[in-house]
Amino acid sequence: MSLSVPDFNLSVIAPALVVAITALVVLLGELFTSAAQKRWLGYVSLLGLALAAFAAVNLWGANVSAFSGMIVADNFGLFLTLVILLGAALSILLAMDYIRAQNVERGEYYVLILAAVVGMIVMATATDLILVFLGLELLSLPLYILAAFQRDQTQSLEAGMKYFLLGAFASAFFLYGIAFIYGGTGSTNLTRIATAIAASRNDVTLIGVGLLIAGFAFKVALVPFHWWTPDVYEGAPTTVTAFMSVAVKVAAFGAFFRAFLVALPDFSLDWRIVLALIAVLTMTLGNVAALLQPNIKRMLAYSSIAHAGYILIALVAMGKDGAASALFYLLAYTLTNLGAFGAVIAFSNGARERVHISDYAGAARAQPLVAAVMTIFMLSLAGFPPFAGFVGKFFIFSAAVRSGWTWLAVIGVLNSLISAYFYLRPVVQMYMTEPTTEWTVSRVAPLVTLALVITVIGVVALGVFPAPAIALAQSGLFR
């Protein structure tokens, strides 16, 4: 009698494995690194992320599964993996000087970022709901801690507590959804669920689908599960907010798309109508609430909610156009939003952050280059050409029109027009308002400058020459 382990192929999980090993190396390195040398742990983390990206590129086109079909290395998951790794690397570049300025430079910061990345990669590549849930929890637990990383600030502790309590509540929804779907179909594997639903639909499975929507909606901040977002984004350290705002969305939307387009296509009439209504509410509330925010982190939080609504339109559109437009949009949004938060960090004066929009009055005179790149990011988020945000929105709205959801695309366009007002407010402050206090010009840290250069080049390149990225997104579809 021989013992065999089917599909035990570690190459399929190589990107996540490399990041996990890097996290362990950084954790051990923390024990032997003095306070003055903590910066090197950030460089080790960046090296690990680069090696993980190399492993993901090597898997491109392989389309292989492992562990009895619970996880897959297909182009869809690998595209999301590369975007997650890019977002994490840029977040670490922004953080290495920031956490020193804020007096929270500790090695566990990088360990927690890397641990969250492992969970995100697992979530984006899992083809079994149990593994999706494990990835969800693995990305969530480090983020709860990171949100409260500035332990001497009440706002940060409050952000971590709120995120933890509401996140645990949402996880319960998600787990109950898995239980109901298993009860209705007899499986947690996405392909087998689809087969079972095609043979017989039942109310138990429908309840499970509703609970899954609630669980995913919390992670991507869809209405009415968005209430945690402004408080957590405002209270968490800015670099953590930047990381959360992009990487969590990429991983959660990846799992959201895979679960609903692979496992639940026969339920499309039921969930597409529900998600279309949620998309309308999310876009509208996010944009309208952002109009009223004097704090730029809260404004970007509500902006993040609105962008989740735009991405949801792509899921409603379904088909190749819908999935490809979502992948491109996630890449464009990652670069743009990280750049916007990077500019906020660049405007900081040591430990003092300028988080009120009125603080940016006259900024263009004191720091013209930072003001210029901040303007590019705001215009891209608003959907102005020739930047990545415009191409992303055009791609999504076109997919909706082609799939018969013209009214949803029209509402998306109207919401984009609304958003132009609050995205231009910081620009008006920087260029057209006299400063109320004298600006103290501080030198922008080299690594923050590097992150801003990468993001601004990416945002402009995706806007002017989108074809290669769109072709890559179209190749990252389900087989």
Side-chain angles (χ1 to χ4, degrees), residues 39-285:
R39 188 183 189 85
W40 285 101
L41 299 177
Y43 290 120
V44 173
S45 302
L46 290 171
L47 176 61
L49 293 172
L51 292 174
F54 179 76
V57 171
N58 280 340
L59 285 168
W60 191 266
N63 195 33
V64 291
S65 61
F67 303 99
S68 299
M70 295 184 75
I71 197 165
V72 65
D74 60 357
N75 287 359
F76 182 82
L78 292 171
F79 187 98
L80 294 169
T81 296
L82 290 171
V83 176
I84 290 166
L85 294 171
L86 173 63
L90 291 171
S91 299
I92 289 175
L93 283 176
L94 293 174
M96 288 173 67
D97 290 292
Y98 174 85
I99 59 177
R100 174 172 292 181
Q102 297 292 324
N103 295 317
V104 289
E105 188 177 32
R106 294 188 289 271
E108 54 265 33
Y109 180 94
Y110 304 111
V111 177
L112 292 167
I113 290 284
L114 295 171
V117 169
V118 174
M120 291 170 186
I121 295 173
V122 169
M123 195 174 181
T125 55
T127 54
D128 190 284
L129 290 177
I130 296 297
L131 204 57
V132 172
F133 177 73
L134 291 176
L136 176 67
E137 291 305 292
L138 183 54
L139 77 87
S140 297
L141 292 174
L143 290 178
Y144 299 150
I145 301 169
L146 284 168
F149 206 72
Q150 291 176 299
R151 293 177 293 187
D152 58 338
Q153 294 191 14
T154 305
Q155 255 191 332
S156 182
L157 294 174
E158 180 184 343
M161 182 59 70
K162 284 182 177 178
Y163 195 24
F164 169 68
L165 292 176
L166 293 173
F169 188 66
S171 294
F173 272 97
F174 194 85
L175 198 55
Y176 270 114
I178 295 173
F180 274 100
I181 288 176
Y182 179 78
T185 64
S187 179
T188 56
N189 180 275
L190 300 182
T191 305
R192 292 172 192 162
I193 290 171
T195 303
I197 290 174
S200 174
R201 295 176 56 170
N202 56 70
D203 293 338
V204 173
T205 307
L206 185 59
I207 294 171
V209 172
L211 291 170
L212 275 190
I213 290 175
F216 280 124
F218 175 86
K219 277 301 165 190
V220 298
L222 297 175
V223 173
F225 302 96
H226 67 287
W227 297 109
W228 60 275
T229 311
D231 290 341
V232 173
Y233 278 30
E234 182 184 11
T238 303
T239 52
V240 174
T241 302
F243 178 63
M244 287 169 54
S245 70
V246 295
V248 173
K249 271 188 171 47
V250 174
F253 265 117
F256 205 163
F257 271 70
R258 193 186 294 276
F260 279 75
L261 298 184
V262 173
L264 305 169
D266 288 318
F267 264 93
S268 62
L269 183 61
D270 297 320
W271 59 258
R272 286 175 81 186
I273 294 172
V274 173
L275 292 185
L277 294 174
I278 292 175
V280 171
L281 292 172
T282 302
M283 290 184 293
T284 305
L285 186 143

Side-chain angles (χ1 to χ4, degrees), residues 171-421:
S171 294
F173 272 97
F174 194 85
L175 198 55
Y176 270 114
I178 295 173
F180 274 100
I181 288 176
Y182 179 78
T185 64
S187 179
T188 56
N189 180 275
L190 300 182
T191 305
R192 292 172 192 162
I193 290 171
T195 303
I197 290 174
S200 174
R201 295 176 56 170
N202 56 70
D203 293 338
V204 173
T205 307
L206 185 59
I207 294 171
V209 172
L211 291 170
L212 275 190
I213 290 175
F216 280 124
F218 175 86
K219 277 301 165 190
V220 298
L222 297 175
V223 173
F225 302 96
H226 67 287
W227 297 109
W228 60 275
T229 311
D231 290 341
V232 173
Y233 278 30
E234 182 184 11
T238 303
T239 52
V240 174
T241 302
F243 178 63
M244 287 169 54
S245 70
V246 295
V248 173
K249 271 188 171 47
V250 174
F253 265 117
F256 205 163
F257 271 70
R258 193 186 294 276
F260 279 75
L261 298 184
V262 173
L264 305 169
D266 288 318
F267 264 93
S268 62
L269 183 61
D270 297 320
W271 59 258
R272 286 175 81 186
I273 294 172
V274 173
L275 292 185
L277 294 174
I278 292 175
V280 171
L281 292 172
T282 302
M283 290 184 293
T284 305
L285 186 143
N287 285 318
V288 172
L291 294 172
L292 309 173
Q293 303 307 313
N295 183 295
I296 197 162
K297 289 174 73 173
R298 290 186 72 88
M299 187 198 82
L300 290 173
Y302 281 108
S303 159
S304 175
I305 293 168
H307 283 278
Y310 299 138
I311 300 169
L312 198 60
I313 293 177
L315 180 55
V316 174
M318 292 182 67
K320 293 183 178 180
D321 287 341
S325 63
L327 291 178
F328 181 88
Y329 198 96
L330 287 167
L331 173 60
Y333 177 74
T334 295
L335 289 169
T336 306
N337 219 48
L338 278 173
F341 278 107
V344 172
I345 292 168
F347 277 128
S348 300
N349 181 21
R352 178 182 175 270
E353 292 185 88
R354 294 183 170 93
V355 293
H356 290 279
I357 295 175
S358 59
D359 293 340
Y360 293 90
R365 301 175 190 176
Q367 292 180 288
L369 292 179
V370 179
V373 296
M374 178 69 143
T375 300
I376 290 174
F377 297 132
M378 291 294 107
L379 293 176
S380 180
L381 286 170
F384 282 84
F387 304 116
F390 169 77
V391 178
K393 287 182 179 179
F394 180 82
F395 202 0
I396 281 182
F397 297 155
S398 299
V401 170
R402 282 193 290 271
S403 62
W405 293 85
T406 305
W407 66 270
L408 189 55
V410 170
I411 293 175
V413 171
L414 293 174
N415 270 281
S416 292
L417 293 175
I418 294 172
S419 71
Y421 176 82

Side-chain angles (χ1 to χ4, degrees), residues 18-29 45 110-112 114-115 118:
V18 170
V19 177
I21 292 170
T22 305
L24 292 176
V25 170
V26 173
L27 183 62
L28 292 173
S45 302
Y110 304 111
V111 177
L112 292 167
L114 295 171
V118 174

